[in-house]
Amino acid sequence: MTSSIPAVDTRPAQGRGLQAVLLDMDGTLVDTEDIWWAAEVEVFAALGHVLAAEDRAIVVGGPMTRSLGHLMAVTGTDATLLELSAAINARFVQLIARGVPLMPGARRLLTELAAYQVPTALVSASHRHIIDSVLHSLGAENFAFTLAGDEIARTKPFPDPYLLAAARLGADPARCVVVEDTPTGVAAAEAAGCHVVAVPSIAPIEAAPGRTVVSSLEQLSVPFLRSLNASVH
């Protein structure tokens, strides 16, 4: 599959309220957080290191440079960041070769967003080849475009991915709703000025101003997402 940053119509989204929905991938739309952790555990085990369960909440949702930086520090491994990244990505691809399970409510939400013609983009810290693999299960047709972590200089927790995605859709970030599952992703979206719907996966996330916390995508609908931006003028 080719790069995910095509020439998208960048005319400003029309109307007040909700202009776009920006969706995270791992742990939000697809149930891959366990798979990522399994790949990390296996690679480090092959090097003679046992990862502690408490490390999982620290590395979840972050870019691989940050996650591996932590795991390298706590294990004292001699392997380099590039070696570990390549090995973990390769193992992850092997593990998802037969497809990935979608989170409850993900398929219905994507179908509803399309039916309502809500501009929608996938914004992930995962690398391009990972996203392309997962899109076989998610359906590339559900997104105006997808943005990968290795296609931008600063990925989550920086606001850059969500600012870029909003700009490509011609939307005001304040009129975008972001759906995320980790504190890292929530931080990125909030720094971009978006309203956030958090669906916590591994690490807990508390409700806060401009942030709505739900337990499942099954609780989301287009009318509900529109109501979150109803007060924006």
Side-chain angles (χ1 to χ4, degrees):
M1 189 175 291
T2 57
S3 172
S4 66
I5 311 184
V8 175
D9 183 357
T10 56
R11 291 173 296 175
Q14 300 299 312
R16 293 183 175 182
L18 182 66
Q19 291 183 346
V21 173
L22 310 176
L23 300 165
D24 174 54
M25 187 178 77
D26 294 295
T28 298
L29 291 177
V30 290
D31 192 7
T32 51
E33 296 295 4
D34 286 345
I35 303 174
W36 274 115
W37 182 244
E40 290 164 345
V41 168
E42 289 182 24
V43 168
F44 275 88
L47 297 172
H49 303 290
V50 178
L51 299 184
E54 55 265 28
D55 291 319
R56 185 178 184 185
I58 297 174
V59 304
V60 67
M64 188 161 284
T65 51
R66 191 203 69 182
S67 299
L68 287 182
H70 172 78
L71 296 177
M72 291 168 70
V74 297
T75 60
T77 181
D78 293 328
T80 68
L81 180 66
L82 288 177
E83 291 169 340
L84 290 168
S85 178
I88 291 170
N89 273 291
R91 183 57 182 145
F92 181 82
V93 169
Q94 291 175 342
L95 292 173
I96 66 170
R98 296 184 179 180
V100 294
L102 271 60
M103 298 298 287
R107 182 68 69 198
R108 180 202 53 77
L109 178 60
L110 291 172
T111 300
E112 188 173 335
L113 288 167
Y116 278 86
Q117 298 184 326
V118 178
T120 303
L122 184 70
V123 182
S124 176
S126 289
H127 288 188
R128 166 54 40 204
H129 72 284
I130 296 293
I131 291 179
D132 288 348
S133 294
V134 174
L135 282 175
H136 291 299
S137 297
L138 271 179
E141 68 279 3
N142 290 304
F143 309 100
F145 63 91
T146 63
L147 181 61
D150 57 344
E151 294 171 336
I152 191 167
R154 300 194 310 175
T155 188
K156 307 172 189 180
F158 293 101
D160 306 34
Y162 286 116
L163 290 173
L164 176 58
R168 287 187 176 277
L169 291 172
D172 178 353
R175 298 184 188 278
C176 296
V177 172
V178 170
V179 184
E180 275 279 1
D181 72 304
T182 67
T184 298
V186 168
E190 291 181 342
C194 305
H195 191 106
V196 177
V197 174
V199 191
S201 56
I202 306 302
I205 301 172
E206 300 297 327
R211 181 194 309 166
T212 303
V213 180
V214 299
S215 61
S216 169
L217 295 179
E218 293 178 311
Q219 296 174 249
L220 302 186
S221 65
V222 170
F224 175 79
L225 294 175
R226 283 177 171 168
S227 73
L228 299 178
N229 276 172
S231 61
V232 178
H233 300 291

